[in-house]
Protein backbone atom coordinates (compact mmCIF):
# COMPACT_ATOMS: atom_id res chain seq x y z
CA UNK A 1 0.00 0.00 0.00
CA UNK A 2 1.16 3.52 -0.72
CA UNK A 3 1.14 6.22 1.96
CA UNK A 4 -1.88 7.84 0.26
CA UNK A 5 -3.77 4.54 0.29
CA UNK A 6 -2.98 4.05 3.98
CA UNK A 7 -4.09 7.58 4.90
CA UNK A 8 -7.23 7.05 2.84
CA UNK A 9 -8.07 4.04 5.05
CA UNK A 10 -7.76 6.28 8.14
CA UNK A 11 -9.86 9.05 6.59
CA UNK A 12 -12.55 6.63 5.40
CA UNK A 13 -13.06 5.40 8.97
CA UNK A 14 -12.98 8.84 10.66
CA UNK A 15 -9.92 7.66 12.59
CA UNK A 16 -8.06 11.00 12.49
CA UNK A 17 -9.35 13.17 15.33
CA UNK A 18 -8.64 16.82 16.16
CA UNK A 19 -8.88 18.46 19.59
CA UNK A 20 -6.66 18.41 22.70
CA UNK A 21 -5.50 14.92 23.56
CA UNK A 22 -3.43 13.61 26.45
CA UNK A 23 -1.58 10.69 24.90
CA UNK A 24 -0.63 7.48 26.71
CA UNK A 25 2.95 8.77 26.65
CA UNK A 26 1.91 11.73 28.83
CA UNK A 27 2.44 14.19 25.97
CA UNK A 28 -0.25 16.48 24.56
CA UNK A 29 -1.34 16.72 20.93
CA UNK A 30 -3.90 18.47 18.77
CA UNK A 31 -4.35 15.28 16.72
CA UNK A 32 -5.09 11.69 17.59
CA UNK A 33 -5.23 8.58 15.45
CA UNK A 34 -7.98 6.34 16.79
CA UNK A 35 -6.72 3.07 15.34
CA UNK A 36 -9.67 1.21 16.84
CA UNK A 37 -11.84 3.02 14.27
CA UNK A 38 -9.64 2.06 11.32
CA UNK A 39 -9.48 -1.54 12.60
CA UNK A 40 -13.20 -1.96 13.34
CA UNK A 41 -13.74 -3.17 9.78
CA UNK A 42 -12.23 -6.65 9.48
CA UNK A 43 -11.45 -6.36 5.77
CA UNK A 44 -9.67 -3.03 6.29
CA UNK A 45 -7.77 -4.43 9.29
CA UNK A 46 -6.71 -7.42 7.21
CA UNK A 47 -5.46 -5.20 4.36
CA UNK A 48 -3.45 -3.07 6.78
CA UNK A 49 -1.97 -6.12 8.51
CA UNK A 50 -0.98 -7.67 5.18
CA UNK A 51 0.70 -4.39 4.14
CA UNK A 52 2.42 -4.20 7.53
CA UNK A 53 3.69 -7.76 7.15
CA UNK A 54 5.27 -6.78 3.84
CA UNK A 55 7.40 -4.20 5.69
CA UNK A 56 9.17 -6.96 7.67
CA UNK A 57 12.34 -8.20 5.97
CA UNK A 58 12.02 -11.82 4.91
CA UNK A 59 14.90 -13.04 7.12
CA UNK A 60 13.12 -11.66 10.21
CA UNK A 61 9.68 -12.80 9.06
CA UNK A 62 10.98 -16.37 8.69
CA UNK A 63 12.15 -16.44 12.34
CA UNK A 64 8.84 -15.39 13.94
CA UNK A 65 7.26 -18.03 16.18
CA UNK A 66 4.44 -15.95 17.67
CA UNK A 67 2.90 -12.48 17.61
CA UNK A 68 2.42 -10.53 20.85
CA UNK A 69 0.73 -7.18 21.28
CA UNK A 70 0.00 -4.93 24.24
CA UNK A 71 -3.62 -4.43 25.30
CA UNK A 72 -5.71 -2.58 24.50
CA UNK A 73 -4.66 -0.83 21.31
CA UNK A 74 -2.56 -3.62 19.85
CA UNK A 75 -5.03 -6.48 20.24
CA UNK A 76 -6.87 -6.18 16.91
CA UNK A 77 -3.86 -5.45 14.73
CA UNK A 78 -1.91 -8.15 16.61
CA UNK A 79 -4.61 -10.72 15.81
CA UNK A 80 -4.67 -9.65 12.17
CA UNK A 81 -0.85 -9.83 11.99
CA UNK A 82 -1.05 -13.36 13.37
CA UNK A 83 -3.51 -14.22 10.61
CA UNK A 84 -1.38 -12.54 7.91
CA UNK A 85 1.75 -14.39 9.06
CA UNK A 86 0.05 -17.71 9.87
CA UNK A 87 1.17 -17.46 13.52
CA UNK A 88 -0.60 -17.56 16.86
CA UNK A 89 -1.29 -14.15 18.41
CA UNK A 90 -1.56 -13.29 22.09
CA UNK A 91 -1.63 -10.10 24.09
CA UNK A 92 -0.18 -8.57 27.23
CA UNK A 93 -2.32 -6.88 29.87
CA UNK A 94 -1.60 -4.48 32.77
CA UNK A 95 -3.83 -5.69 35.61
CA UNK A 96 -1.51 -4.16 38.21
CA UNK A 97 0.21 -1.54 36.01
CA UNK A 98 2.90 -3.84 34.59
CA UNK A 99 2.51 -5.85 31.38
CA UNK A 100 2.07 -9.60 31.77
CA UNK A 101 0.59 -12.55 29.91
CA UNK A 102 -2.72 -13.78 31.34
CA UNK A 103 -5.70 -15.89 30.19
CA UNK A 104 -3.53 -18.99 29.87
CA UNK A 105 -1.18 -17.40 27.33
CA UNK A 106 2.42 -18.54 27.63
CA UNK A 107 5.56 -18.40 25.56
CA UNK A 108 7.78 -21.35 24.84
CA UNK A 109 11.28 -20.69 26.23
CA UNK A 110 13.26 -18.77 23.62
CA UNK A 111 10.23 -18.13 21.39
CA UNK A 112 10.97 -15.55 18.70
CA UNK A 113 8.33 -12.86 19.06
CA UNK A 114 7.06 -10.14 16.76
CA UNK A 115 5.74 -7.24 18.87
CA UNK A 116 2.76 -5.51 17.25
CA UNK A 117 1.54 -2.02 18.25
CA UNK A 118 -1.11 0.24 16.83
CA UNK A 119 0.63 3.62 17.39
CA UNK A 120 4.11 4.38 18.72
CA UNK A 121 4.77 7.89 20.06
CA UNK A 122 7.73 7.65 22.45
CA UNK A 123 8.30 3.88 22.49
CA UNK A 124 7.73 3.63 26.25
CA UNK A 125 4.88 1.10 26.01
CA UNK A 126 6.88 -0.86 23.44
CA UNK A 127 9.91 -1.11 25.71
CA UNK A 128 7.70 -2.13 28.65
CA UNK A 129 6.00 -4.80 26.52
CA UNK A 130 9.34 -6.08 25.19
CA UNK A 131 10.63 -6.35 28.77
CA UNK A 132 7.50 -8.30 29.72
CA UNK A 133 8.09 -10.77 26.86
CA UNK A 134 11.64 -11.25 28.13
CA UNK A 135 10.32 -11.96 31.65
CA UNK A 136 7.90 -14.48 30.11
CA UNK A 137 10.78 -16.34 28.43
CA UNK A 138 10.50 -15.01 24.87
CA UNK A 139 12.73 -12.85 22.70
CA UNK A 140 11.30 -9.95 20.70
CA UNK A 141 13.16 -9.95 17.39
CA UNK A 142 11.29 -7.02 15.79
CA UNK A 143 8.39 -4.65 16.26
CA UNK A 144 5.82 -3.37 13.80
CA UNK A 145 3.23 -0.63 14.23
CA UNK A 146 0.50 0.80 12.09
CA UNK A 147 1.71 4.32 12.87
CA UNK A 148 4.99 5.82 14.03
CA UNK A 149 4.14 9.27 15.27
CA UNK A 150 7.57 9.77 16.90
CA UNK A 151 9.16 11.51 13.93
CA UNK A 152 11.64 8.63 13.86
CA UNK A 153 12.81 9.17 17.44
CA UNK A 154 11.16 6.14 19.09
CA UNK A 155 13.63 3.34 19.77
CA UNK A 156 12.00 0.16 21.03
CA UNK A 157 15.42 -1.51 21.18
CA UNK A 158 14.67 -3.95 18.35
CA UNK A 159 14.30 -3.47 14.59
CA UNK A 160 11.16 -1.35 14.06
CA UNK A 161 8.98 -1.38 10.95
CA UNK A 162 5.99 1.02 10.98
CA UNK A 163 3.44 1.03 8.19
CA UNK A 164 3.39 4.81 8.08
CA UNK A 165 5.20 7.75 9.70
CA UNK A 166 2.97 10.65 10.75
CA UNK A 167 4.49 13.71 12.35
CA UNK A 168 1.89 15.51 14.43
CA UNK A 169 3.58 17.72 17.00
CA UNK A 170 3.37 16.60 20.62
CA UNK A 171 4.10 18.68 23.69
CA UNK A 172 5.25 18.16 27.26
CA UNK A 173 2.84 19.49 29.92
CA UNK A 174 4.81 22.74 30.26
CA UNK A 175 5.11 23.26 26.47
CA UNK A 176 1.42 23.11 25.45
CA UNK A 177 0.63 26.09 23.18
CA UNK A 178 -1.96 28.52 24.52
CA UNK A 179 -4.48 27.75 21.75
CA UNK A 180 -4.29 24.02 22.49
CA UNK A 181 -4.41 24.56 26.27
CA UNK A 182 -7.72 26.42 25.80
CA UNK A 183 -9.38 23.22 24.53
CA UNK A 184 -10.72 20.66 27.02
CA UNK A 185 -8.43 17.62 27.29
CA UNK A 186 -9.53 14.21 26.07
CA UNK A 187 -7.57 11.15 27.17
CA UNK A 188 -8.26 8.51 24.50
CA UNK A 189 -5.41 6.05 25.23
CA UNK A 190 -5.55 2.88 27.29
CA UNK A 191 -2.96 3.73 29.96
CA UNK A 192 -4.44 4.84 33.32
CA UNK A 193 -1.45 6.63 34.77
Amino acid sequence: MTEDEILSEFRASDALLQGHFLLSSGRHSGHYLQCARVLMNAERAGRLAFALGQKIPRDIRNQIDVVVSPAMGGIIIGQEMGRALGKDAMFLERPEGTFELRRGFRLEPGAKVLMVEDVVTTGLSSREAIEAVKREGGEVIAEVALVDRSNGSADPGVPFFPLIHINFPTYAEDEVPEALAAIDITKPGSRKA
Side-chain angles (χ1 to χ4, degrees), residues 2-79:
T2 67
E3 185 170 309
D4 285 340
E5 290 169 330
I6 295 162
L7 286 174
S8 146
E9 297 282 8
F10 277 87
R11 283 189 209 98
S13 60
D14 294 324
L16 176 56
L17 308 176
Q18 291 184 290
H20 182 177
F21 303 97
L22 180 59
L23 307 175
S24 294
S25 64
R27 296 185 63 82
H28 294 250
S29 178
H31 297 88
Y32 186 79
L33 288 166
Q34 183 54 269
C35 286
R37 294 232 9 120
V38 79
L39 296 172
M40 71 182 189
N41 177 280
E43 287 184 32
R44 180 182 293 125
R47 285 192 302 272
L48 292 170
F50 181 81
L52 189 52
Q54 298 303 303
K55 294 278 190 171
I56 307 167
R58 180 171 290 153
D59 62 316
I60 293 175
R61 203 169 47 233
N62 290 339
Q63 294 177 55
I64 298 168
D65 294 319
V66 66
V67 170
V68 174
S69 55
M72 280 296 297
I75 292 176
I76 296 171
I77 191 60
Q79 181 69 31

